[in-house]
Amino acid sequence: MQITCPYCGARDAQEYSYLGDATQKWPDPTGHDAESAFHDYVYLRDNLSGAQEEFWVHVAGCRRWVRVTRDMRSHEISRVQFACHEGVSS
Amino acid sequence: MSRLASGGLIDRAQPHCFTFDGKGFGGFAGDTLASALLANDVKLVGRSFKYHRPRGVVGSGTEEPNALVELRTGARREPNSRATTTELYDGLDALSQNRWPSLDFDVLAVNSLFSPFFGAAFYYKTFMWPKAAWEKLYEPAIRKAAGLGRAAELPDPDHYEKAQAFCDVLVIGSGPAGLMAALTVGRTGARVILAEEDFCFGGRLLSEKTAINDAPPLDFVARSLAELQSLPNVRLMSRTSVFGLYDDCYGAIERVSDHLPVPTPYMPRQRYWRIVARRAVLAAGAIDRPIVFGGNDRPGVMLAAAVQSYVNRFAVAPAKRMAFFANNDAAWIAAFNLRDAGGEVAAIVDTRPDIANALVAAAQKRGIRAILGGEVFATSGKTLASIEVFAKGRTERLAVDGLAMSGGFSPNVHLTCHHGGRPVWNENIAAFTPGKCPTGLTVAGAASGAYALSACLAEGAREGATAATDLGFVAHDLNLPKAADAPTSLSAFWHVARSKGMAFVDFQNDVKDKDIGLAAKEGFRSVEHLKRYTTLGMATDQGKLSNLPGLAILAEKLGKSIPETGVTIFRPPWSPVALGAFAGHHRGGDFRPARITPTHALAEELVAVFVEAGPWLRAAYFPRNGETDWQDTVNREVRAVRSGVGLIDVSTFGKIDLQGPDVGTLLDRVYINMFSTLAPGKARYGVMLREDGFVMDDGTTARLSQNHWVMTTTTANAAKVSQHLEFCAQVLWPELDVRMASVSEQWAQIAVAGPRSRDLIAKIADDPATLGNDALPYMGAVEMRVLGGVKARIFRLSFAGELGFEIAVPAHKGEVLARALLAAGAEWDVTFYGLEALAVMRIEKGHVSGPELNGQTTAADLGFGRMASTKKDFIGRVLAGRAGLRDAQRPGFVGLRPVDRSQRLRAGAHFLERGAAAETANDIGYLTSATFSPHLGHSIGLGFIQGGATRIGDVVRAWDGVRGSDIEVEICPPCFIDPEGARLRG
């Protein structure tokens, strides 16, 4: 599998490390339901059949965190962008 | 000898000698082991898996189920090598398999007599009880009787390599379609790799006679190869099997040296390629199929396409008098080729009552008898002596020593299935053809079900042009070679119902037609269940010959059509790949690169004993003359630190350089305690949590100046913490102005500890005045110069619990620094100590380390509860506050010592109350670390126990069921030495 790093270009997936679902928003730690929100943030994941946006980090390259849109069935990657262009903290 | 007087692609000027079962034979360069054996009239080459039936060569390539041999001897012995793909070399040494005492007379052939009892799932049904007998009796006996070859029992002396290749278009197979595809793409200038499994390019063109441009097909092969070789953008790879399609990459194995007795110097035995191709054209051809009839496994019964190969390519007539049994036209052409080469053809038995007049006429012209609407239903002889034919209501016995069978061709669709694609049934050719193909892969020629030569050439050119055009290359007008097509019609036929004797579907796993009938009768409907129940298609050939006939027989038994019954799909690899090739150079000491510390060479000089700590090789202890065991050494090293001075290389700690105005804010958010208030020139111990509230790592972070910080992490978590911080800075809080880089490799760090440590460092510091208690108090951090101008950072902290300093210098100065410290400290007998002594001292001080930071402990469990700031938020705070993690009954961190001080504590023991039974329900905690304390003169330990610090003074039991000890221990505070820290601050 290859992932096209926005900084380094197309590189083998072995250069990357995987984190997972990138649509999770870091919850507000001061919110009244913070504990349940963090519980969901840490433990609950959908097992999608289709495209998922997920975090990878180019550890053996530029060390940038990237958002990869990958089809969970075919591993087809439709989009890669820097993770920080839209922070998850709202 | 069955070698034909002329013809073939063998080099008669290059004779090769080889042995089979110890007997010497001769062959030629260009032979396979199988063709050479057949040329020497060796028909019996192995015994079958279950019934030990005598078996001979069936095919001529990767599909071969029977002719499996042990190749080479000693450390290079390789079992289950297909004789049909083994290139003959001078001195080749092969042994038959699965026979005792000899191939000719095999004791277990008696199994064959009991075949009615050895049906499908025999093992499951028979060896069910008593349960205990399975491991001791049944399994060893079955393993001895079954199985194929023997693996080498010595380490493989050869090298294996891994390599990467990139191309625009990968062409798999070099028959008519593959050659045309490679030519078409090559001419556009695109980068092409043409991979061919065989040692010769040409595929079926090497085995057939059909003319191309009115010339022998070999002329076309030679011309095409010459052109491909002249193109700089084309790479030709022979002896290379593309065995799998993975994500964005094809796996291929190149047999670099398998055709040599021993690899030439510096060359690998095999090379595992990962080929990244933007497009691929699969032109892998098709395989002839057997027909299921009584005695179809007798040596001498072969595939018709294989016979054609042996005759045309290897100049071997596999039998003196041969009959053909087929349902299609291609087998007739094979028979004509044999006859034209001088072989005797007794008859062609065709299941079809009517065939093209031209074929019948061609047979008549050659004097070949045609038996139409006929079936071969039985055979006889140890190797084939005669066959029985039924036709038009009569049976007849024909004396032949060879029978070529052909049930039609199956396209090699394997790679199209590797991403989950399912082949589709094509009634016209009675075969599965490629279904939805993986992205970027197209199929051409016989692999797509197009069997006519002209169609193969045209499809190859078309798919090549499409692939190149897709990628933006300009494909020129196709000048297709003209081919005279041989007839290819066929009428599906699988199984002779009137068979006499055992009729085999899967030769390698000894699965018979009756086994499939039995499975159907017992209720197996799914082809996947059938496969697992009968083991059909599960041998090393993965059912290349057997899957479809097996499926067809099941369909017939169930009264359904083949597509209704199921589809056989394929997973990688296409053919067996040696595990050594996947490992490559990563074996033994090279399994992964060892990281060595900057003082490694010095430690070697001092005869250190090394230990693997993660990827690092670290000095465990430094034995001196007269010390009887490691405990002696470690005790001496610990005493030296506590009473004098010692040093240890701690460069393995992770070091992260952090710069920017917002570093303090970032650290406040990742550590449980406050960092933004830390003054420049100071260091602080910090604990960081995972988002789930458990402790991730600990370490010391120093603020060198207003906007410049350096963090240390544990050795084990260096990479993880770095990645975590980058995630925080790039993803969670990109608004923070922070830059960071791992500098673990750039700085060497030596810890100097003991009452004499300040005196020692003063001797190497350029300005010793800066080391005083006022200038550099406990937890101070300064940048200075040592050894006459070497840049250094000195942190006043100690894991050992003594007056201590950690000196960081650029990595290339680490060894110089250590040598200077050893020389300068000679007057105090400065001691270089290892990881073991460090572990003893940290347990004596009650410092947590890997065994305590085990991913199951919270800051509160570790006694750091009060360290957590309430004035700020930090990662893990919310979930650390969960009721379950705040439970006072969670095991808390304590120290332990044996009530009887002469007894030894062992990490891993569990705590039980006195008098409680050793049951999980009574488990109240566990011992994480234990050591002998030279300072106290007895064993001490650290652990977690329910109630934690509230239980100090109580006596419980440390029960170790694994090593059989059960001793009373007293709970105490975790710090066993200098709890006030007077030594640290001295």
Side-chain angles (χ1 to χ4, degrees):
Chain A
M1 194 163 98
Q2 289 192 325
I3 298 172
T4 302
C5 172
Y7 188 79
C8 304
R11 293 291 187 277
D12 196 277
Q14 290 184 13
E15 290 187 11
Y16 294 78
S17 182
Y18 176 78
L19 183 70
D21 187 358
T23 59
Q24 298 286 321
K25 298 271 184 256
W26 199 65
D28 175 7
T30 62
H32 70 281
D33 63 341
E35 188 175 312
S36 109
F38 268 93
H39 173 275
D40 293 358
Y41 173 71
V42 169
Y43 296 109
L44 296 190
R45 292 292 180 274
D46 290 328
N47 186 9
L48 297 176
S49 173
Q52 163 168 286
E53 196 177 305
E54 52 198 23
F55 285 126
W56 291 72
V57 58
H58 196 187
V59 278
C62 60
R63 300 201 65 94
R64 291 292 292 265
W65 280 89
V66 291
R67 256 170 224 281
V68 174
T69 309
R70 180 179 64 105
D71 193 304
M72 308 278 274
R73 296 162 302 187
S74 64
H75 292 187
E76 188 189 334
I77 291 171
S78 52
R79 191 164 74 148
V80 186
Q81 56 185 153
F82 285 133
C84 56
H85 282 169
E86 35 178 289
V88 277
S89 57
S90 44
Chain B
M1 282 291 287
S2 301
R3 184 75 73 180
L4 301 170
S6 63
L9 294 173
I10 48 166
D11 182 355
R12 288 165 208 264
Q14 260 199 84
H16 285 335
C17 294
F18 70 100
T19 67
F20 179 66
D21 280 348
K23 201 172 159 203
F25 296 101
F28 296 107
D31 261 327
T32 61
L33 175 58
S35 69
L37 285 170
L38 289 170
N40 286 283
D41 299 329
V42 178
K43 290 200 171 159
L44 174 59
V45 294
R47 289 272 174 176
S48 76
F49 185 66
K50 199 152 108 183
Y51 303 125
H52 290 243
R53 302 258 298 181
R55 290 284 165 82
V57 175
V58 171
S60 59
T62 313
E63 75 283 3
E64 177 60 37
N66 280 351
L68 305 183
V69 298
E70 276 178 16
L71 215 55
R72 301 182 168 87
T73 54
R76 289 193 169 86
R77 188 171 74 199
E78 196 178 346
N80 307 338
S81 302
R82 285 159 309 221
T84 50
T85 59
T86 299
E87 201 173 334
L88 194 68
Y89 57 83
D90 198 45
L92 179 146
D93 200 353
L95 278 184
S96 59
Q97 302 184 153
N98 210 29
R99 81 290 188 269
W100 187 84
S102 75
L103 181 57
D104 196 49
F105 174 75
D106 178 77
V107 167
L108 282 168
V110 71
N111 282 2
S112 198
L113 300 177
F114 298 110
S115 75
F117 308 106
F118 276 106
F122 164 74
Y123 297 111
Y124 304 147
K125 290 170 181 168
T126 310
F127 298 108
M128 287 179 61
W129 54 266
K131 201 174 159 216
W134 177 255
E135 255 179 55
K136 294 238 153 35
L137 186 66
Y138 298 151
E139 189 180 330
I142 292 168
R143 283 199 185 281
K144 193 166 165 15
L148 295 164
R150 302 164 304 157
E153 282 155 18
L154 298 166
D156 190 334
D158 296 329
H159 299 283
Y160 297 82
E161 277 183 1
K162 296 189 201 185
Q164 309 255 1
F166 299 84
C167 62
D168 294 310
V169 182
L170 169 66
V171 180
I172 301 158
S174 69
L179 283 177
M180 278 312 290
L183 279 171
T184 311
V185 182
R187 286 169 189 163
T188 68
R191 294 170 307 163
V192 181
I193 290 178
L194 175 60
E196 169 55 56
E197 174 166 61
D198 203 291
F199 52 94
C200 283
F201 290 96
R204 273 311 282 179
L205 295 176
L206 305 177
S207 299
E208 292 179 4
K209 294 277 186 194
T210 314
I212 299 178
N213 287 340
D214 301 320
L218 291 177
D219 291 4
F220 170 75
V221 174
R223 247 184 305 110
S224 304
L225 274 182
E227 182 180 344
L228 289 169
Q229 273 157 352
S230 75
L231 295 172
N233 52 320
V234 175
R235 175 178 202 157
L236 297 170
M237 297 176 75
S238 61
R239 300 187 177 105
T240 303
S241 301
V242 178
F243 62 78
L245 172 48
Y246 301 93
D247 297 319
D248 286 349
C249 132
Y250 292 79
I253 192 79
E254 183 185 6
R255 296 175 191 85
V256 181
S257 308
D258 279 3
H259 61 295
L260 303 171
V262 172
T264 51
Y266 311 112
M267 289 302 281
R269 174 76 181 276
Q270 297 180 347
R271 196 176 279 131
Y272 163 43
W273 286 94
R274 298 177 74 232
I275 302 177
V276 178
R278 299 167 74 196
R279 294 284 185 281
V281 178
L282 178 67
I287 296 179
D288 202 357
R289 309 185 281 243
I291 297 175
V292 181
F293 60 92
N296 63 344
D297 68 325
R298 213 168 296 282
V301 181
M302 305 171 71
L303 295 170
V307 169
Q308 196 175 20
S309 282
Y310 289 118
V311 170
N312 292 336
R313 177 173 171 187
F314 299 104
V316 174
K320 301 212 164 17
R321 187 162 189 265
M322 196 149 218
F324 283 71
F325 177 32
N327 66 341
N328 63 76
D329 294 351
W332 290 67
I333 309 299
F336 299 162
N337 287 168
L338 172 62
R339 182 74 200 93
D340 296 347
E344 189 184 342
V345 178
I348 302 175
V349 182
D350 199 310
T351 58
R352 299 170 295 177
D354 294 304
I355 66 156
N357 288 334
L359 278 182
V360 179
Q364 262 169 3
K365 194 181 86 186
R366 289 174 171 87
I368 298 174
R369 182 181 162 202
I371 303 175
L372 300 186
E375 292 174 353
V376 176
F377 65 93
T379 66
S380 67
K382 183 166 185 178
T383 62
L384 188 67
S386 71
I387 59 171
E388 289 186 58
V389 180
F390 177 87
K392 300 197 172 82
R394 295 180 40 218
T395 64
E396 181 182 356
R397 179 186 293 260
L398 294 177
V400 291
D401 62 339
L403 176 66
M405 60 182 165
S406 174
F409 288 79
S410 288
N412 288 323
V413 300
H414 297 64
L415 258 65
T416 68
C417 302
H418 288 183
H419 279 188
R422 291 188 165 258
V424 292
W425 180 249
N426 181 328
E427 194 67 43
N428 292 332
I429 57 170
F432 283 105
T433 52
K436 184 176 177 291
C437 284
T439 310
L441 180 89
T442 54
V443 189
S448 79
Y451 296 150
L453 183 53
S454 61
C456 289
L457 294 164
E459 280 198 3
R462 188 187 71 211
E463 295 308 327
T466 307
T469 312
D470 267 6
L471 297 174
F473 295 91
V474 180
H476 299 287
D477 281 348
L478 304 174
N479 194 7
L480 276 181
K482 183 162 58 67
D485 286 335
T488 56
S489 73
L490 148 153
S491 166
F493 185 87
W494 309 102
H495 175 222
V496 177
R498 72 181 71 248
S499 284
K500 222 166 70 186
M502 287 193 253
F504 285 88
V505 182
D506 185 322
F507 295 104
Q508 202 172 115
N509 266 356
D510 273 352
V511 180
K512 310 181 302 292
D513 58 348
K514 290 203 170 100
D515 297 322
I516 294 170
L518 181 62
K521 209 190 283 176
E522 290 180 358
F524 289 88
R525 295 291 178 270
S526 150
V527 64
E528 296 297 336
H529 292 160
L530 172 83
K531 182 174 162 177
R532 280 150 190 87
Y533 191 57
T534 61
T535 72
L536 171 79
M538 292 177 75
T540 64
D541 62 346
Q542 288 287 288
K544 288 187 178 65
L545 300 185
S546 60
N547 278 346
L548 190 48
L551 178 60
I553 293 172
L554 180 67
E556 186 187 297
K557 300 281 177 203
L558 299 178
K560 293 202 245 173
S561 72
I562 288 175
E564 278 167 356
T565 306
V567 183
T568 53
I569 60 165
F570 303 92
R571 281 173 296 196
W574 147 256
S575 58
V577 181
L579 287 175
F582 288 115
H585 289 299
H586 296 272
R587 60 181 198 182
D590 297 326
F591 179 67
R592 64 175 174 191
R595 296 178 78 178
I596 56 171
T597 62
T599 58
H600 187 81
L602 174 58
E604 278 184 323
E605 265 175 45
L606 297 173
V607 215
V609 174
F610 291 95
V611 62
E612 279 183 37
W616 292 94
L617 210 51
R618 296 186 72 179
Y621 52 97
F622 294 81
R624 286 186 185 171
N625 285 338
E627 289 170 348
T628 52
D629 65 3
W630 69 274
Q631 187 74 58
D632 266 5
T633 305
V634 172
N635 289 348
R636 191 244 315 144
E637 290 177 3
V638 171
R639 283 194 204 100
V641 176
R642 298 247 182 260
S643 63
V645 60
L647 53 102
I648 183 171
D649 190 328
V650 292
S651 309
T652 63
F653 286 157
K655 305 176 211 75
I656 301 167
D657 198 275
L658 295 140
Q659 300 189 29
D662 295 331
V663 174
T665 309
L666 177 69
L667 295 178
D668 282 348
R669 293 181 188 179
V670 297
Y671 279 128
I672 64 170
N673 45 334
M674 193 73 92
F675 272 78
S676 53
T677 54
L678 189 68
K682 288 285 191 178
R684 184 168 285 171
Y685 174 74
V687 171
M688 58 178 78
L689 308 185
R690 305 188 308 223
E691 198 69 83
D692 65 2
F694 290 90
V695 172
M696 176 158 78
D697 199 51
D698 71 343
T700 308
T701 290
R703 188 172 200 172
L704 297 173
S705 63
Q706 185 61 28
N707 290 339
H708 189 190
W709 306 62
V710 58
M711 173 187 281
T712 55
T713 74
T714 60
T715 301
N717 288 330
K720 187 159 97 183
V721 171
S722 205
Q723 203 165 305
H724 174 63
L725 289 187
E726 282 162 345
F727 181 79
C728 293
Q730 291 178 34
V731 182
L732 295 185
W733 308 299
E735 70 279 6
L736 295 182
D737 189 356
V738 174
R739 289 292 177 271
M740 67 183 77
S742 165
V743 292
S744 305
E745 298 285 342
Q746 283 70 25
W747 290 87
Q749 200 146 315
I750 308 285
V752 182
R756 291 290 186 184
S757 56
R758 185 185 285 125
D759 300 331
L760 173 55
I761 295 175
K763 290 174 79 170
I764 56 121
D766 290 4
D767 179 10
T770 54
L771 297 169
N773 226 352
D774 296 334
L776 186 58
Y778 179 58
M779 296 309 270
V782 293
E783 291 180 282
M784 61 162 67
R785 302 268 164 182
V786 299
L787 300 172
V790 175
K791 186 167 68 172
R793 294 168 178 170
I794 299 191
F795 310 95
R796 185 167 160 201
L797 32 99
S798 173
F799 203 42
E802 298 295 329
L803 171 66
F805 302 85
E806 289 186 9
I807 315 173
V809 292
H812 67 283
K813 292 289 187 187
E815 188 180 337
V816 177
L817 174 67
R819 285 183 191 278
L821 289 167
L822 288 180
E827 60 177 293
W828 304 291
D829 190 22
V830 61
T831 299
F832 210 179
Y833 67 97
L835 215 47
E836 290 290 347
L838 185 71
V840 171
M841 289 188 278
R842 74 97 189 163
I843 296 172
E844 287 181 334
K845 278 300 288 182
H847 288 313
V848 297
S849 187
E852 288 78 36
L853 305 177
N854 59 11
Q856 301 173 40
T857 49
T858 64
D861 295 344
L862 292 160
F864 297 137
R866 268 181 295 173
M867 241 172 87
S869 171
T870 52
K871 299 195 184 99
K872 64 180 181 86
D873 186 53
F874 53 85
I875 285 186
R877 183 188 64 82
V878 173
L879 291 189
R882 284 181 283 178
L885 297 189
R886 284 188 284 113
D887 185 349
Q889 278 307 299
R890 279 185 66 83
F893 188 53
V894 292
L896 288 311
R897 56 185 167 223
V899 171
D900 172 356
R901 299 284 199 260
S902 68
Q903 286 185 307
R904 183 177 166 194
L905 298 179
R906 290 173 185 276
H910 282 250
F911 300 131
L912 300 167
E913 300 289 359
R914 281 189 289 187
E919 287 168 5
T920 311
N922 295 331
D923 189 353
I924 54 170
Y926 55 99
L927 193 66
T928 50
S929 301
T931 188
F932 175 80
S933 164
H935 182 75
L936 298 170
H938 61 79
S939 191
I940 57 171
L942 301 172
F944 296 90
I945 194 161
Q946 280 174 18
T950 64
R951 300 214 53 186
I952 286 171
D954 290 354
V955 172
V956 296
R957 285 154 54 208
W959 176 86
D960 184 339
V962 177
R963 285 159 296 194
S965 70
D966 189 352
I967 59 176
E968 293 199 326
V969 291
E970 182 192 335
I971 303 168
C972 58
C975 184
F976 292 88
I977 185 170
D978 184 32
E980 304 77 29
R983 288 163 176 254
L984 281 172
R985 292 180 170 82

